[in-house]
Amino acid sequence: MQNKYKSLIVYALLTGIVIAGFIFRLQGIIDNHSFWSDEAYVATLGRDIVTSKRSIPEAIKLLNYQPLHVLTTALSMKLFGFNEFSARLPVVLFGTLGIIAAFLLAKKLSNAYGGLLAAFLYAISQLNLANSTQAKPNTAIQTIFIFNIYLLSLLYENKKNVYLHTIIIALSCIATLFHFIGILVFIPYFIFIITNINYKNIFVDSKKIIYFLLFSVFFMLVFFLSSGKSRFENLFNPTNIKDSVFLHNISLLRELLWKNYSFITLPALFGLILSYKRKRVLTATIITYVVILIFFWVFYAFGNIRYVLPIIALMFMYFAVFWSYIGEKILMNKSWAVCLLVAIAIYLGGNKIVRIPQNYYSPNEDLYGDVQFADYKNTYKYIGYKYPNLSKVAIFNDWHEAQYWYLPNKLPNAYFIKNEKNNSEHWIDKQPVYNTLSHFLNAMSKYDSGILIVEDWDSLLPNDIKNYAKSNLKLEFRSSAISQAVNDPWPVEIYSWHSEK
């Protein structure tokens, strides 16, 4: 009877944490703040599908390494309309499911109180909240990865459970279709396959044949559907391999895991060591995955924190494992008290967590410049208001995503992009692309009036064109930052010219 009440308390607390985590995430998207470029592009493709401007294959081809992300965005817009909220809502839901995954895995690695501590951290982590409120697929991959590791822990206990095999393969496929980097989610299961197949008897044991074929067929299918061939060709291009020697992020990794999260990282390392004693094979599998992901992140210029979200989640899990172990072994079955005290200390300390729901969670808190969260929404709103007849006005830009979303009926008349070939065509809309000031002046002379969008940081717009605009053109508009993040400035300016004809 006592165990029954304990179980009820645990799951009541878990329900509260999940609801709170959902509210925190929903609050972060409810005011429809501006998209940044990557969000704007997938939202545009989703809108194009719903409005039949593009077919599903056409839209997916334009973002061929994120097909499922495009489709879930389109479905959400079909249900809730064309706005920032709709595009971000699927990520909010995946982030909320991640809280449950965190509980299940940490509980499996330790006990229910460790599971609650992990779920608590996962729910109100500033980093998780920031990524759970952007129209990007990385939170979905993080959630799927945690669920997969939990299922894999069950599979190691019952290696012949074909349902577990099927679910793990299916979830890994889904992760890969959300974003090609999700293919790394296959790694733990791949390790399971190669360490548990008896190659001498593989053609005798029918179940082993099923496991092997399921893995092989689904892996290859998803590999090609997510443009795996072109992704790997690009990744292992000799030029990229040569450049990767210099484009490393070792210092960024040190800053992230030690300077920003040492209070999590250090206990998590001890938790990992303790787990190795209990679950050696599973722990070794997780370590192998972490090493591979860190290698690609460090040496292939992934750079952005969103690509190591699975590692951050694992840190939360093993942090909880460590403290539950302290309560269980050192303080004589007082895991609940230790985990509760740690949760209270983290909440009161406020470091890397959010105490109350916010309208915006900065993705740049742990690594400045990780996301260029400029106020494109008000920038293009101004253009639409000031120039109601856009057909008579030229727009020069350096990138397409935000303009596609916020000015859907007006393509850039020309692009000016660093390191792009002059007199080439843009890969999406076939508009001309240039990279020099002389070409800018020549293009400008062809139009009686026009505007230039200037992102006032080290953006893709060539610096000599940027400097010319500041000295010779009229500044029409400047937005320093979105209103929700005035301390995270990403200035966008509009410069204009008008002929005296």
Side-chain angles (χ1 to χ4, degrees), residues 94 97-106 108-109 122 139-158 161-178 181-193 215 218-219 222 279 281-283 285-286 289 310 313-314 317-318:
F94 270 105
L97 287 173
I99 301 169
I100 300 173
F103 169 80
L104 291 174
L105 179 57
K108 187 67 178 175
L109 296 173
Y122 193 101
T139 292
I141 294 171
Q142 181 193 48
T143 294
I144 291 169
F145 172 76
I146 297 301
F147 270 121
N148 255 15
I149 296 298
Y150 169 69
L151 294 172
L152 195 64
S153 70
L154 300 180
L155 190 60
Y156 274 111
E157 296 172 358
N158 185 5
N161 190 323
V162 70
Y163 299 108
L164 287 174
H165 283 272
T166 306
I167 294 170
I168 291 171
I169 292 171
L171 288 176
S172 301
C173 291
I174 290 170
T176 307
L177 291 173
F178 263 108
I181 196 174
I183 201 168
L184 297 179
V185 174
F186 274 103
I187 289 173
Y189 183 68
F190 177 71
I191 295 171
F192 173 88
I193 290 291
F215 176 78
F218 278 98
F219 180 85
V222 173
K279 300 179 182 294
V281 180
L282 179 64
T283 307
T285 298
I286 291 172
Y289 168 84
L314 287 172
M317 305 306 104
Y318 284 108

Side-chain angles (χ1 to χ4, degrees), residues 127 249-270 294 297 305 308 311-312 315-316 319 351-352 365-367:
L127 181 57
N249 300 298
I250 293 176
S251 60
L252 295 182
L253 185 69
R254 184 186 65 249
E255 291 286 307
L256 176 64
L257 297 184
W258 188 248
K259 181 179 179 180
N260 290 322
Y261 284 93
S262 58
F263 74 103
I264 296 289
T265 303
L266 194 57
L269 286 174
F270 288 121
I294 286 177
W297 193 82
I305 291 177
V308 290
I311 293 177
I312 300 297
M315 285 167 50
F316 293 155
F319 175 88
N351 188 23
K352 301 303 178 185
E365 184 170 301
D366 296 301
L367 178 62

Side-chain angles (χ1 to χ4, degrees), residues 193-208:
I193 290 291
I194 63 175
T195 56
N196 283 279
I197 285 182
N198 183 335
Y199 295 95
K200 292 181 180 179
N201 298 323
I202 187 172
F203 295 108
V204 177
D205 191 329
S206 60
K207 286 188 176 180
K208 289 180 179 178

Side-chain angles (χ1 to χ4, degrees), residues 36 360 362-364 367-376 379 454-459 478-482 485-493:
W36 61 288
Y360 174 77
S362 173
N364 295 319
L367 178 62
Y368 183 73
D370 200 42
V371 173
Q372 297 78 46
F373 235 121
D375 189 9
Y376 292 116
T379 300
V454 173
E455 295 160 326
D456 201 12
W457 63 83
D458 188 19
S459 59
R478 177 182 170 88
S479 176
S480 296
I482 63 173
V486 293
N487 295 321
D488 189 12
W490 295 94
V492 182
E493 299 172 334

Side-chain angles (χ1 to χ4, degrees), residues 239-249 298-300:
T239 302
N240 292 341
I241 292 175
K242 181 180 178 181
D243 291 342
S244 72
V245 175
F246 305 99
L247 296 174
H248 63 80
N249 300 298
V298 168
F299 292 107
Y300 280 89

Side-chain angles (χ1 to χ4, degrees), residues 438-459:
S438 61
H439 282 92
F440 173 78
L441 295 175
N442 182 57
M444 191 172 69
S445 68
K446 298 177 182 179
Y447 300 95
D448 293 336
S449 64
I451 57 179
L452 171 68
I453 310 297
V454 173
E455 295 160 326
D456 201 12
W457 63 83
D458 188 19
S459 59

